[in-house]
Amino acid sequence: MVQQPRYDEYERGALFPDHMAMQLPPDGVVARDALERVAATRRPPMTLDLVERGKQRFEIFCVPCHGHDGSGDGIVPARGFPHPPDLRARRLVEAPDRHFYQVITQGYGAMYSYSDRVPPHDRWAIAGYVRALQGTGLAPEAVATDMQGVDHAHR
Ligand code: HEC
């Protein structure tokens, strides 16, 4: 049982014409979840349902640090965790939707990844809700520096 007759990776083997144990998949093979993974990277249309789902998810996963208004004044930073930036700051208003998707997926600096808790569709939903929060008003310093030229056509 401990010693079994089997090939290791990259070993020579007698089964195939090229005498290699490992073979490339035949042309046209698609990994089982590849299509879903590609589809998940595309932003779904922003509907009211999606934004409402995003609000609910934001309140569960993001509010503890980012606060209900996105200001970063959540209860966790109040206890000493690094203070997140204001989600309504100009830099983040101007960032594409994809940026929020990526921050949730990969984490960002001191913020850890939420990829195991927030599935792809919900990441877009949260991104949509962050847009709604941003629409409620720019962060005070952004308003003070420049109110001109805000492009709301984010993709
Ligand atoms: C445990 C606290 C915490 C939670 C929960 C949290 N964040 Fe963060 N977030 C942070 C901190 C801290 C930063 C700043 C990280 C840094 O710059 O090192 C940050 C940064 C960000 C940024 C700014 C990235 C940039 O470009 O500067 C975005 C966007 C963001 N978070 C979105 C989210 C979303 C959406 C959620 C919910 C899914 C979430 N965060 C949950 C703490 C948190």
Side-chain angles (χ1 to χ4, degrees), residues 80-130:
F81 196 77
H83 199 280
D86 194 321
L87 294 178
R88 302 159 306 172
R90 172 165 301 280
R91 181 176 65 82
L92 292 170
V93 170
E94 288 171 352
D97 294 345
R98 191 171 351 101
H99 182 59
F100 301 94
Y101 182 93
Q102 274 167 3
V103 170
I104 300 170
T105 308
Q106 293 161 10
Y108 187 91
M111 180 188 143
Y112 39 80
S113 161
Y114 279 78
S115 59
D116 57 345
R117 281 154 287 183
V118 180
H121 191 261
D122 284 347
R123 295 174 210 165
W124 287 120
I126 291 173
Y129 181 63
V130 169

Coordinates of all heavy atoms in Angstrom, one line a residue, residues 80-130:
G80 N -8.6 50.7 17.0 CA -7.2 50.6 16.7 C -6.7 50.0 15.4 O -5.6 50.1 15.1
F81 N -7.7 49.4 14.6 CA -7.3 48.9 13.3 C -7.0 50.1 12.4 O -7.6 51.2 12.6 CB -8.4 48.1 12.7 CG -8.0 47.2 11.6 CD1 -7.3 46.0 11.8 CD2 -8.4 47.5 10.3 CE1 -7.0 45.2 10.7 CE2 -8.0 46.7 9.2 CZ -7.3 45.6 9.4
P82 N -6.1 50.0 11.4 CA -5.8 51.1 10.6 C -7.0 51.7 10.0 O -8.0 51.0 9.6 CB -4.9 50.5 9.4 CG -4.3 49.3 10.1 CD -5.3 48.8 11.1
H83 N -7.1 53.0 9.9 CA -8.3 53.7 9.4 C -8.4 53.6 7.9 O -7.4 54.0 7.2 CB -8.2 55.2 9.9 CG -9.5 55.9 9.8 ND1 -10.1 56.3 8.7 CD2 -10.4 56.1 10.8 CE1 -11.3 56.9 9.0 NE2 -11.5 56.7 10.3
P84 N -9.5 53.1 7.4 CA -9.6 53.0 5.9 C -9.8 54.4 5.3 O -10.3 55.3 6.0 CB -10.8 52.1 5.7 CG -11.3 51.7 7.0 CD -10.7 52.5 8.0
P85 N -9.5 54.5 4.0 CA -9.7 55.8 3.4 C -11.3 56.0 3.2 O -12.0 55.1 3.2 CB -9.1 55.7 2.0 CG -9.0 54.2 1.7 CD -8.9 53.6 3.1
D86 N -11.7 57.3 3.0 CA -13.1 57.6 2.8 C -13.4 57.1 1.4 O -12.8 57.4 0.4 CB -13.3 59.1 2.9 CG -14.8 59.5 2.9 OD1 -15.6 58.8 2.3 OD2 -15.1 60.4 3.7
L87 N -14.4 56.2 1.3 CA -14.8 55.7 0.0 C -15.4 56.7 -1.0 O -15.5 56.5 -2.2 CB -15.8 54.5 0.1 CG -15.3 53.2 0.8 CD1 -16.4 52.2 1.0 CD2 -14.1 52.6 0.1
R88 N -15.7 57.9 -0.4 CA -16.2 59.0 -1.2 C -15.1 60.0 -1.7 O -15.5 61.0 -2.2 CB -17.3 59.7 -0.5 CG -18.5 58.7 -0.1 CD -19.3 59.3 1.1 NE -18.4 59.6 2.2 CZ -18.8 60.3 3.3 NH1 -20.0 60.7 3.4 NH2 -17.9 60.5 4.2
A89 N -13.9 59.6 -1.4 CA -12.8 60.5 -1.8 C -12.7 60.6 -3.3 O -13.0 59.6 -4.0 CB -11.5 60.0 -1.2
R90 N -12.2 61.7 -3.8 CA -12.2 61.9 -5.3 C -11.5 60.7 -6.0 O -12.0 60.2 -7.0 CB -11.5 63.2 -5.6 CG -11.3 63.4 -7.1 CD -10.9 64.8 -7.4 NE -12.0 65.7 -7.0 CZ -13.1 65.9 -7.7 NH1 -13.3 65.2 -8.9 NH2 -14.1 66.7 -7.3
R91 N -10.3 60.3 -5.4 CA -9.6 59.2 -6.1 C -10.4 58.0 -6.3 O -10.3 57.3 -7.3 CB -8.3 58.9 -5.2 CG -7.4 57.8 -5.8 CD -6.2 57.6 -4.9 NE -6.5 57.2 -3.6 CZ -6.7 55.9 -3.2 NH1 -6.6 55.0 -4.2 NH2 -7.0 55.5 -2.0
L92 N -11.3 57.7 -5.3 CA -12.1 56.5 -5.4 C -13.4 56.7 -6.1 O -13.9 55.8 -6.7 CB -12.4 55.9 -4.0 CG -11.1 55.4 -3.3 CD1 -11.3 55.1 -1.8 CD2 -10.6 54.1 -4.0
V93 N -13.8 57.9 -6.2 CA -15.0 58.2 -7.0 C -14.6 58.1 -8.5 O -15.3 57.6 -9.3 CB -15.5 59.7 -6.8 CG1 -16.5 60.1 -7.9 CG2 -16.1 59.8 -5.4
E94 N -13.3 58.4 -8.8 CA -12.8 58.3 -10.2 C -12.3 56.9 -10.5 O -12.1 56.7 -11.7 CB -11.7 59.4 -10.4 CG -12.3 60.8 -10.4 CD -11.3 61.9 -10.4 OE1 -10.1 61.6 -10.3 OE2 -11.7 63.1 -10.6
A95 N -12.1 56.1 -9.5 CA -11.6 54.7 -9.8 C -12.7 53.9 -10.6 O -13.9 54.1 -10.3 CB -11.3 54.0 -8.5
P96 N -12.4 53.0 -11.5 CA -13.4 52.2 -12.2 C -14.0 51.2 -11.2 O -13.4 50.8 -10.2 CB -12.6 51.5 -13.3 CG -11.2 51.5 -12.8 CD -11.0 52.7 -11.9
D97 N -15.2 50.8 -11.5 CA -15.9 49.8 -10.7 C -15.1 48.5 -10.4 O -15.1 48.0 -9.4 CB -17.2 49.3 -11.5 CG -18.2 50.4 -11.6 OD1 -18.1 51.4 -10.9 OD2 -19.2 50.2 -12.4
R98 N -14.3 48.2 -11.5 CA -13.4 47.0 -11.4 C -12.4 47.1 -10.2 O -12.1 46.2 -9.6 CB -12.6 47.0 -12.7 CG -11.7 45.9 -13.0 CD -11.2 46.0 -14.5 NE -11.7 47.1 -15.3 CZ -11.0 48.2 -15.5 NH1 -9.9 48.4 -14.9 NH2 -11.6 49.2 -16.2
H99 N -12.0 48.4 -9.8 CA -11.1 48.5 -8.7 C -11.8 48.0 -7.4 O -11.1 47.3 -6.6 CB -10.8 50.0 -8.5 CG -9.8 50.3 -7.4 ND1 -8.6 49.7 -7.4 CD2 -9.9 51.0 -6.3 CE1 -7.9 50.1 -6.3 NE2 -8.8 50.9 -5.6
F100 N -13.1 48.2 -7.2 CA -13.7 47.8 -6.0 C -13.8 46.2 -6.0 O -13.6 45.6 -5.0 CB -15.1 48.4 -5.8 CG -15.0 49.9 -5.8 CD1 -15.1 50.7 -6.9 CD2 -14.7 50.5 -4.6 CE1 -14.9 52.1 -6.8 CE2 -14.5 51.9 -4.5 CZ -14.6 52.7 -5.6
Y101 N -14.1 45.7 -7.2 CA -14.2 44.3 -7.4 C -12.8 43.7 -7.0 O -12.7 42.7 -6.3 CB -14.5 43.9 -8.8 CG -14.6 42.5 -9.1 CD1 -15.8 41.8 -9.1 CD2 -13.5 41.7 -9.4 CE1 -15.9 40.4 -9.3 CE2 -13.6 40.4 -9.7 CZ -14.8 39.7 -9.6 OH -14.9 38.4 -9.9
Q102 N -11.7 44.3 -7.4 CA -10.4 43.8 -7.2 C -10.0 43.9 -5.7 O -9.4 43.0 -5.2 CB -9.4 44.5 -8.1 CG -9.2 43.8 -9.4 CD -8.5 44.7 -10.4 OE1 -8.0 45.7 -10.1 NE2 -8.4 44.2 -11.7
V103 N -10.3 45.0 -5.1 CA -10.0 45.2 -3.7 C -10.7 44.1 -2.8 O -10.1 43.5 -1.9 CB -10.3 46.6 -3.2 CG1 -10.2 46.7 -1.7 CG2 -9.5 47.7 -3.9
I104 N -12.0 43.9 -3.1 CA -12.7 42.8 -2.4 C -12.1 41.4 -2.7 O -11.9 40.6 -1.8 CB -14.2 42.8 -2.8 CG1 -14.9 44.1 -2.5 CG2 -14.9 41.7 -2.1 CD1 -16.3 44.3 -3.1
T105 N -11.7 41.2 -3.9 CA -11.1 39.9 -4.3 C -9.7 39.7 -3.7 O -9.4 38.6 -3.1 CB -11.0 39.8 -5.8 OG1 -12.2 40.1 -6.4 CG2 -10.6 38.4 -6.3
Q106 N -8.9 40.7 -3.8 CA -7.4 40.5 -3.5 C -7.1 41.1 -2.1 O -6.0 40.9 -1.7 CB -6.6 41.1 -4.6 CG -6.7 40.3 -5.9 CD -6.2 41.1 -7.1 OE1 -5.6 42.2 -6.9 NE2 -6.5 40.6 -8.3
G107 N -7.9 42.0 -1.6 CA -7.5 42.7 -0.4 C -6.7 43.9 -0.9 O -6.4 44.1 -2.1
Y108 N -6.3 44.8 0.0 CA -5.6 46.0 -0.3 C -4.8 46.5 0.9 O -5.4 46.9 1.9 CB -6.6 47.1 -0.8 CG -5.9 48.3 -1.4 CD1 -5.7 48.4 -2.8 CD2 -5.6 49.4 -0.6 CE1 -5.1 49.5 -3.3 CE2 -5.0 50.5 -1.1 CZ -4.7 50.6 -2.5 OH -4.1 51.7 -3.0
G109 N -3.5 46.4 0.9 CA -2.7 46.8 2.0 C -3.1 46.1 3.3 O -3.2 44.9 3.3
A110 N -3.6 46.9 4.3 CA -3.9 46.3 5.6 C -5.3 45.5 5.5 O -5.6 44.8 6.4 CB -4.0 47.4 6.6
M111 N -6.0 45.8 4.4 CA -7.3 45.1 4.3 C -7.2 43.7 3.7 O -6.6 43.7 2.6 CB -8.3 46.0 3.5 CG -9.7 45.3 3.3 SD -10.6 46.3 2.2 CE -11.5 45.0 1.4
Y112 N -7.7 42.7 4.3 CA -7.5 41.4 3.8 C -8.6 41.1 2.7 O -9.6 41.8 2.6 CB -7.5 40.3 4.9 CG -8.5 40.6 6.0 CD1 -9.9 40.3 5.8 CD2 -8.1 41.2 7.2 CE1 -10.8 40.6 6.9 CE2 -9.0 41.5 8.2 CZ -10.3 41.2 8.0 OH -11.2 41.4 9.0
S113 N -8.3 40.0 2.0 CA -9.2 39.6 0.9 C -10.5 39.1 1.4 O -10.6 38.4 2.5 CB -8.5 38.5 0.1 OG -9.5 37.8 -0.7
Y114 N -11.6 39.4 0.7 CA -12.9 38.8 1.1 C -13.4 37.8 0.1 O -14.6 37.5 0.0 CB -14.0 40.0 1.2 CG -13.9 40.6 2.6 CD1 -12.8 41.5 2.8 CD2 -14.7 40.3 3.6 CE1 -12.7 42.1 4.1 CE2 -14.5 40.8 4.9 CZ -13.5 41.7 5.1 OH -13.3 42.2 6.3
S115 N -12.5 37.3 -0.7 CA -12.8 36.4 -1.8 C -13.5 35.1 -1.3 O -14.3 34.5 -2.0 CB -11.6 36.1 -2.7 OG -10.6 35.5 -1.9
D116 N -13.1 34.7 -0.1 CA -13.8 33.4 0.4 C -15.1 33.7 1.1 O -15.8 32.7 1.4 CB -12.8 32.7 1.4 CG -12.4 33.6 2.6 OD1 -12.6 34.8 2.5 OD2 -11.9 33.1 3.5
R117 N -15.5 34.9 1.3 CA -16.8 35.2 1.9 C -17.7 35.9 1.0 O -18.9 35.9 1.2 CB -16.5 36.1 3.2 CG -16.1 35.3 4.4 CD -15.3 36.1 5.3 NE -14.0 36.4 4.8 CZ -13.0 37.1 5.4 NH1 -13.3 37.6 6.6 NH2 -11.9 37.3 4.9
V118 N -17.2 36.7 0.0 CA -18.1 37.4 -0.9 C -17.9 36.9 -2.3 O -16.8 37.1 -3.0 CB -17.7 38.9 -0.9 CG1 -18.6 39.7 -1.8 CG2 -17.8 39.5 0.6
P119 N -18.8 36.1 -2.9 CA -18.7 35.5 -4.2 C -18.7 36.6 -5.3 O -19.2 37.7 -5.0 CB -19.9 34.6 -4.3 CG -20.8 35.0 -3.3 CD -20.1 35.7 -2.2
P120 N -18.2 36.3 -6.5 CA -18.0 37.3 -7.5 C -19.3 38.2 -7.8 O -19.1 39.4 -7.8 CB -17.7 36.5 -8.8 CG -16.9 35.3 -8.2 CD -17.6 35.0 -6.9
H121 N -20.4 37.6 -7.9 CA -21.6 38.4 -8.2 C -21.9 39.4 -7.1 O -22.2 40.6 -7.4 CB -22.8 37.5 -8.3 CG -24.0 38.1 -8.9 ND1 -25.1 38.6 -8.1 CD2 -24.4 38.5 -10.2 CE1 -26.0 39.2 -8.9 NE2 -25.6 39.1 -10.2
D122 N -21.7 39.1 -5.8 CA -21.8 40.0 -4.7 C -20.8 41.1 -4.7 O -21.0 42.2 -4.2 CB -21.8 39.2 -3.4 CG -23.1 38.5 -3.1 OD1 -24.1 38.7 -3.9 OD2 -23.2 37.6 -2.2
R123 N -19.6 40.8 -5.2 CA -18.6 41.8 -5.3 C -19.0 43.0 -6.2 O -18.9 44.1 -5.9 CB -17.2 41.3 -5.8 CG -16.6 40.2 -4.9 CD -15.4 39.6 -5.5 NE -15.3 38.2 -4.9 CZ -14.6 37.3 -5.4 NH1 -13.8 37.5 -6.4 NH2 -14.6 36.1 -4.9
W124 N -19.6 42.6 -7.4 CA -20.2 43.6 -8.3 C -21.3 44.3 -7.6 O -21.5 45.6 -7.8 CB -20.6 43.0 -9.6 CG -19.5 42.5 -10.5 CD1 -19.3 41.3 -10.9 CD2 -18.5 43.4 -11.0 NE1 -18.1 41.2 -11.7 CE2 -17.6 42.5 -11.8 CE3 -18.1 44.7 -11.0 CZ2 -16.5 43.0 -12.5 CZ3 -17.0 45.2 -11.6 CH2 -16.2 44.3 -12.4
A125 N -22.1 43.6 -6.9 CA -23.3 44.2 -6.2 C -22.8 45.3 -5.2 O -23.3 46.4 -5.1 CB -24.1 43.2 -5.5
I126 N -21.7 44.9 -4.4 CA -21.1 45.9 -3.5 C -20.5 47.1 -4.2 O -20.7 48.2 -3.8 CB -20.1 45.2 -2.6 CG1 -20.8 44.2 -1.6 CG2 -19.3 46.2 -1.8 CD1 -19.8 43.3 -0.8
A127 N -19.8 46.8 -5.3 CA -19.3 47.9 -6.1 C -20.4 48.9 -6.5 O -20.2 50.1 -6.4 CB -18.5 47.4 -7.3
G128 N -21.5 48.3 -6.9 CA -22.7 49.2 -7.3 C -23.2 50.0 -6.1 O -23.5 51.2 -6.3
Y129 N -23.2 49.4 -5.0 CA -23.7 50.1 -3.8 C -22.7 51.2 -3.4 O -23.1 52.3 -2.9 CB -24.0 49.2 -2.6 CG -24.5 49.9 -1.4 CD1 -25.7 50.6 -1.5 CD2 -23.8 50.0 -0.2 CE1 -26.2 51.3 -0.4 CE2 -24.2 50.7 0.8 CZ -25.4 51.4 0.7 OH -25.9 52.1 1.8
V130 N -21.4 50.9 -3.5 CA -20.4 51.9 -3.2 C -20.6 53.1 -4.1 O -20.5 54.3 -3.7 CB -18.9 51.4 -3.3 CG1 -17.9 52.5 -3.3 CG2 -18.7 50.4 -2.2

